[in-house]
Each structure stands twice: as C-alpha cells, then as structure tokens.
Amino acid sequence: MKFSINRDQFVQSVQHVSKAISPRTTIPVLTGIKIEASFDGVTLTGSDSDISIESFIPLEDEEIQNVELEQPGSIVLPARFFAEIVKKLPEDTIELSVSEQFVTTLKSGSSVFNLNGLDPNEYPRLPEIEEDNVFKLKTDLLKNIIRQTVFAVSTVETRPILTGVHWAIEEGTLACTATDSHRLAMRNAKAETNTNDLSFSNVVIPGKSLNELSKILDDNEEWVDIIVTENQILFKAKNLLFFSRLLDGNYPATNNMIPTNSKTNVKLETKKFMQAIERALLLSRDGKNNVVNLKTLSNTHLEITSVTPEVGKVTEDVATLDFNGEELRISFNGKNIIDALRVIDSTEVTIDFTGAMSPFVIKPTEHENMLHLFSPVRTY
Amino acid sequence: MKFSINRDQFVQSVQHVSKAISPRTTIPVLTGIKIEASFDGVTLTGSDSDISIESFIPLEDEEIQNVELEQPGSIVLPARFFAEIVKKLPEDTIELSVSEQFVTTLKSGSSVFNLNGLDPNEYPRLPEIEEDNVFKLKTDLLKNIIRQTVFAVSTVETRPILTGVHWAIEEGTLACTATDSHRLAMRNAKAETNTNDLSFSNVVIPGKSLNELSKILDDNEEWVDIIVTENQILFKAKNLLFFSRLLDGNYPATNNMIPTNSKTNVKLETKKFMQAIERALLLSRDGKNNVVNLKTLSNTHLEITSVTPEVGKVTEDVATLDFNGEELRISFNGKNIIDALRVIDSTEVTIDFTGAMSPFVIKPTEHENMLHLFSPVRTY
C-alpha cells in the first residue's frame, strides 16, 4: 500500500474513528485504526466491538484531490500514537507506505515516522446490514434529540437497559425516551421514512453510542439515514458509517407513568427558575442528594430553599408568570431539574404537580415536542 | 458588621485570596476567608500559613463607590462555599451582615444565604514586615521572570531547596535561578532599588508561591514593591499584599556549573527545533524518560531521532542557520528542551555543546537576559 493524502482530511477522519476505540479492549487489533486504500479512496475504521465507525475519504471530492494512490492495500496502525502523529506532522500532505512485516512509513516534509503495524486480515469485519427499513433525520435535529434525552439515562449498571435511550417509530413519529427511574425525558420528532408502514419499538441505543455519534456529527442540515436491525443500528452520514450494538432486554413501559391530571400548575421563566435552583444547590456538599424544597408562597411567588445544617441555608424567591390550583410544598433533586431546564429550549416552562408525593411534569411553552417527568424526594 | 458591596469587585478579591487557601489545612479557621470592614474599606485575607494573600477594596476608588459601610467588624466565612456563592448571586450589589454566633446573611435581589461563620479573633495575624530594603519590578516583567524560571524547579521533595527559585540582587541586577539538577534556567533583570547598596542572595521562593502570585497579577506595567526578610518575602501591588514563606537551606552554587567554552555551536530556528523535538517525543510511552538523540549531519543539518522498539522510530531533519566546531552525537531529555524553548521568547536560539557527555547551553539570540543549561543523557 502506498498513497499521499491531504493532512487535514486525514486528521479529521482519524479523530472520528478514534471515538470508537477503547484503550481497555482485550482484542489487540482493536487498539488500532484500520486503513484501507482502494481505487475509490481511503477508508478508516475504528471499533470497540460495541461501536464501529467507518470514515471514507474519496480520491477526489468536489474537484479537490484528497488522495494520490500509488498502490492499494491495507494496514492496522496503533490508534493512540497515530492520531497524535498525523496531527503534528509539518506539511499539508502525508505520504503513507507499508513495507514488509507491516512496517509503515509516514513522511511529511522533513519528518519520517516508522511504525510497527498489525495484520489487517485480523481486523473484524463490520456487520452487513440490509437496508429495507430506512428512516432519516436532518443532522441538527438528530443532535438535538440526542442532547435532549441522553442526559437522563442511568449511569449505574444495576439495570443495564436504562443506560440506553428507547426509540420507537409509529406513523412517521419518532419517540425517544430516557429514564434513570428518578427522572424521565421524552422527545418526539417527525422522521422521514421510505415506507409508510415503518414501525418499531423496544430499540434501545446505548447512551455512550449516542454521545459519541453526536460528537462526530457537524451541526448542519444534511440528512442522516438510519437503519435498525435486530441487534444493531446504523447511522449513515456523508462519508461516514456509525454502527452501534443495541441493548438487550425489555424497556419499561413509560407512557402510563406520566400523570394526565394536575393539581397545581405554575408557569415560570426558565432562566430565573434554573438560576434559583443552581444557587440553592451551592451549599450541598459533594455526594449529597441535591435536595431542594419548593413552596408556593402566594399566587405570584414560589420559595425555593435548601438547608445544609453545618454550612447554612439558602432562600430564593421566584416570581410565577401564572398560577392555578392548590398550594403546595414539595422536595426534589435539584440537579435533575437543572439538567432538564438546560435542554428544554424555551424561555418559559409550565410545571404540573399532582401532589407532594407524586411525580410532576415540566414542559416547554414554546413547543410541544418534549416532556420531563420527575419523582419527588421524601424529606421526612 | 454590615455593608453593601459591588459584586464584581468582591468576586475578584475573593478569587485572589482563595488562591492561598488549601482544603487540606489542619487549622480549621484557615479553610475560611477573613473579611474585615473598616472606615477605609473591606479587607479580605486567605492563608495556608505558607502563602498569605490580602486584598483590599477601598470604599471609593476613582470616584466609584465600591462599598457602603453601615457597621464595621469582621468575620471568617467558609472559602469554598463563599467563592461559589458570590459568583452566582443575581444582582450587582451584595449586602453582607453578621448577627449573633457569627451567622452571616448575604442578600442580593431575591436571593438570601445564611452562612455559619467562624470567630475572626481565631484567625492568625499576617507577619509584620519592616520596609527598609525595598526593590521594585514592573508587573509584566515580574510575571515574565516567573514564567521563565519556575518551570525548571524540582517537583520531587528529595531536595526541598530545589522546589524553589533562587533570587539574588547585586548592583541593581536581579538574578533568578531554578534547577531540578538535570536542567537549569537563569534569568537576569534590572530592578529598581531604594538604596544603592541593596544586595542579598540565598533567597529561595517556593515555586508554588510564584505560580499563585503570577495567576493573581494582571499583565500591566504597574510597579510591584518587593520586600525580603529573613524568612518571608512580600509582594505589594495595588490593593494587594502577597506574603510567602522562604525555603530554608543553602541553594547550590550554580555559577560554576555553566560551561564557558564551546566545542560545537549551532544556531537554529526556535519553532522548527521545538516542533521537531515534539514529534520525536510522540512515540515515548507515558512515564518513559523522553530521550531524544541529536546528531550533526553536515554543516547545514541536524538529525533528531527517537526510538521506542515496540512502537517505531521517528527521524527529523532540522536545518541549521549557522554551525561552528566539531561533529557531535548527543542524547537528552526532549521534554526539558521544549519547556525552555517555550519561554525563551526569541525566534532563533544558539546551542553551545561541550561534548557528548557534558552539559550544554541554549541561549536566545535576540536578548541576553536568559540562559538554559541541560545535562545530556547516557544512552549506553
């Protein structure tokens, strides 16, 4: 194998596929990046066997020459060193050639690296996926969906299924749900489908996969094709394939958890409410449960308080924009509320309480594609 | 005690004095910030008994009212919480008042914090320093001196005296030296003195103190007064006092370590030389000794190489701007060279080698106030 390649293109592809590579893998060849040069272009692959990422650099793209191919072939190079090296090479072009015993030479200007490579035939093949049932989302919408749900997944492994985000499609609407059993985030979006009757549920994508995918995708309006199989999901963007394993098991039924009535309804400015809770959390010591108390003071004000006996007490006064229903005292995990308010993308929110010991719902006022549910905390 | 204060001024002062506070102190009152309000203004103090910082906010400064004093007094408040709180309070003004049992109330807009304070009488007094022997440096020069020496101090505690920077003054010239016994940085500067015969040596300032001082000082041309006593140094800037303990013990004599002859002299572009060494270090595994080999190739080129058998080899070619003397092969710690080249502030440097097993000197070509000395590494 021998080719010359545009450094910036190469650096970006290496960074993308590196996102899939775990230094803690037990399969030696997966510590490397697979590089394959063909008459179409150069393909890079990284994988930790849960996530696999393939990035393609065409020989030519929009009349710009990315790659000059002298001889096709393939090699696996140590990811950690390789990513650092390509970033720091001095010139705009990098020449890569493989000699005997997988020894690979990288040249750029006055700089020459000889790296010990690995046998590309030992690298596992990516899953082959049939593209019968495809739907698609614009990249920026996909990134928003991820941002607005994945924060709510569980980070403890006691119920592995809750470390993923549940996706379901029915009648062209994608419903994404994440919960750690104390709070739940739900986001709906219209998806373009290639068949009218595409429908699935119980597709649970690991939160980690969605986070890595989101980091790789640029904010733009290009389409991402999404294909779901029994145990894999594939995201196809321009010159990029992102495979993730799906989580095994049954996701809990969440629809019936959401209260439909409301005993106390308040409307608040998102930012003022969030800042008041942030200040209320300032006296919580590390590792504490972030408990914040809320009390309706009148039709026009809420009082938010937090006490840490050895340190002191915070009292915050928040004006309500609207108030209906009963007086209320309730305690909750303030950090969970802040997580939701950060992604809600609405200057005002409504909260529907159903009593001091029942879950409550926060919704944006400016759009209807999102809902956040919270369990209260018992403080006595 | 009761006063209202401009939040931004207060935040800055709190951040400054917090730099001296260590969460690991064994003296409970030193986990706090001392706040003292008088008819002149508000004084904040932080200390870990090695470093003490005092920041003063005058009632009025350049016709801007910073503080409205209702009642003088003092209190000690928990530093970690307090610094976070003042930063996040909602309005431009903060009202602080102390009631019985040192309970302190902070009010700002709709936000009220009650904090458990500590008895200010338990707070240790700052050292009293006689100002007989004062010299002064402009702030930006002082910051440069620190940046260009402190990186070379030892980080291991086997020879505590080497964790500090040695300062000496003679005939109005300040000489600052730092070494970890493998490399040495020396920086000279003219200092303004109030007496013609001010002279001292064996003043060793902890590297940590200088780093913290540098973080607090803004880049400007205002004078900093510096006063040295037997076991303390005091830096006096506008509304700021910075005290540091000096290190006990005798600093090694370093002047006779610097070779005066040269067998091989090369002149190089600083940036190209630095980038070549950075790339040569890319294959060093964590915790390795960062060994880089240098070989003169001809009168016009150097070859820099580094080998890590299990990973590969780097070969870099660096053009020399000038070359005099003998051919040479030498090995050294590349990271130490990079540290020095980063602070040398000259687009070209000269290196004087005195043989493969002897220390060598790197100097800037554009000024004469600095010198870096390095021991070679034996590679056989």
Side-chain angles (χ1 to χ4, degrees), chain A residues 111-112 114 116 311 313 315-316, chain B residues 111-112 114 311 313 315-316:
Chain A
S111 186
V112 182
N114 298 300
N116 302 330
V311 185
K313 179 180 176 178
T315 312
E316 293 280 336
Chain B
S111 185
V112 181
N114 298 300
V311 185
K313 180 180 175 178
T315 311
E316 295 280 335

Side-chain angles (χ1 to χ4, degrees), chain B residues 62 134 160 178-179 193 204 231 252 302 375:
Chain B
E62 288 165 8
V134 181
T179 180
T193 56
V204 187
N231 52 15
L302 301 178
S375 302

Side-chain angles (χ1 to χ4, degrees), chain A residues 184-209:
Chain A
L184 176 146
M186 189 180 280
R187 169 68 151 102
N188 292 329
K190 287 274 157 216
E192 296 269 322
T193 56
N194 63 348
T195 55
N196 281 333
D197 57 352
L198 177 67
S199 102
F200 61 76
S201 70
N202 208 37
V203 166
V204 187
I205 311 166
K208 180 174 176 296
S209 300

Side-chain angles (χ1 to χ4, degrees), chain B residues 183-238:
Chain B
R183 43 106 175 253
L184 176 146
M186 190 180 281
R187 170 69 152 100
N188 292 329
K190 286 276 157 214
E192 296 269 322
T193 56
N194 63 348
T195 56
N196 281 333
D197 56 353
L198 177 68
S199 100
F200 60 77
S201 70
N202 207 38
V203 166
V204 187
I205 311 166
K208 180 173 177 293
S209 300
L210 291 170
N211 276 327
E212 298 301 342
L213 173 63
S214 188
K215 281 183 212 158
I216 294 175
L217 296 173
D218 292 326
D219 272 306
N220 63 41
E221 299 235 310
E222 288 188 40
W223 289 104
V224 178
D225 284 1
I226 302 167
I227 301 130
V228 174
T229 70
E230 209 185 332
N231 52 15
Q232 290 276 338
I233 187 165
L234 166 59
F235 298 87
K236 288 177 77 172
K238 192 190 170 201

Side-chain angles (χ1 to χ4, degrees), chain A residues 334-361:
Chain A
K335 200 189 149 292
N336 285 352
I337 305 287
I338 289 172
D339 287 349
L341 294 177
R342 277 207 182 115
V343 302
I344 212 158
D345 293 353
S346 172
T347 55
E348 297 173 3
V349 291
T350 58
I351 316 182
D352 284 300
F353 296 101
T354 51
M357 287 301 140
S358 310
F360 58 98
V361 171

